[in-house]
Amino acid sequence: EAGVVQSPRYKIIEKKQPVAFWCNPISGHNTLYWYRQNLGQGPELLIRYENEEAVDDSQLPKDRFSAERLKGVDSTLKIQPAELGDSAVYLCASSLLSDPSTQYFGPGTRLTVL
Amino acid sequence: GENVEQHPSTLSVQEGDSAVIKCTYSDSASNYFPWYKQELGKRPQLIIDIRSNVGEKKDQRIAVTLNKTAKHFSLHITETQPEDSAVYFCAATGSARQLTFGSGTQLTVLP
């Protein structure tokens, strides 16, 4: 069974440019998470989806970040415009709706903003 | 919301020795406590977890203990091997049903 898939794995952009990350969760997992992991720190939740509904986006900086999960399967996280402080690893995770605590992570996208 | 503190931030042990990493949490409603291992440049991987109705859980060389009264839980690795070297994160699920992670422990096992 394939795990959580993310692309791209690495992205280097200049500040003020837009960037988008894509995630495909484990098949059958209704719940999808986007986390940001800064260097030397643990992942921090940005947004959580149950099917296509964003049920927790309180930590998402809405002035520049947006996310969507239109068909309740794969998801896209976008930053526009990117700032230097957005450099981090963006992790996607998924879980069953019935067991939201047991989360499986993707490999992440390492974003560098110059 | 939930706050999870983890220590030490770095830990070096000799191969074959034991390693212990400790975490405390703030939300008394938390009932699930996973531990993740993250090797450099790779995804966090769940290595063991414990739920609030259990005080201790063991899986080969890895064990986790939970003290709900004191709101702390610990990861114990025995007979450490060089491949155990990684960053370890604890986490807790609070009343919001979301995982809050600790800041990580860089474990280095010296050959």
Side-chain angles (χ1 to χ4, degrees), chain A residues 4 9 35 37 40-43 45 48 50 56 91 97 99-103 105-107, chain B residues 31-32 34 36 38 41-44 46 49 51 89 93 96-99 101-104:
Chain A
V4 177
R9 291 295 314 279
Y35 288 88
Q37 186 175 24
Q41 297 182 22
L45 182 68
R48 173 167 63 103
E50 290 181 1
D56 184 356
L91 292 163
L97 194 60
D99 185 13
S101 301
T102 306
Q103 299 179 19
F105 284 85
Chain B
N31 57 8
Y32 177 70
Y36 285 83
Q38 188 174 29
K42 297 191 176 180
R43 72 187 75 194
L46 179 68
D49 56 16
R51 299 188 185 270
F89 292 98
T93 300
R97 296 192 359 150
Q98 66 186 48
L99 282 179
F101 286 82
S103 55

Side-chain angles (χ1 to χ4, degrees), chain A residues 32-95:
Chain A
L32 183 147
Y33 312 78
W34 282 103
Y35 288 88
R36 177 168 58 190
Q37 186 175 24
N38 292 312
L39 189 64
Q41 297 182 22
E44 296 178 325
L45 182 68
L46 292 174
I47 189 168
R48 173 167 63 103
Y49 281 93
E50 290 181 1
N51 297 306
E52 61 274 4
E53 182 182 359
V55 297
D56 184 356
D57 63 355
S58 57
Q59 301 303 312
L60 191 71
K62 298 182 183 61
D63 56 336
R64 298 182 299 106
F65 286 65
S66 64
E68 59 183 17
R69 193 185 185 200
L70 295 175
K71 297 183 179 179
V73 180
D74 55 351
S75 175
T76 301
L77 177 69
K78 298 178 181 177
I79 308 175
Q80 181 172 12
E83 297 180 351
L84 295 176
D86 295 332
S87 294
V89 175
Y90 291 83
L91 292 163
C92 179
S94 70
S95 70

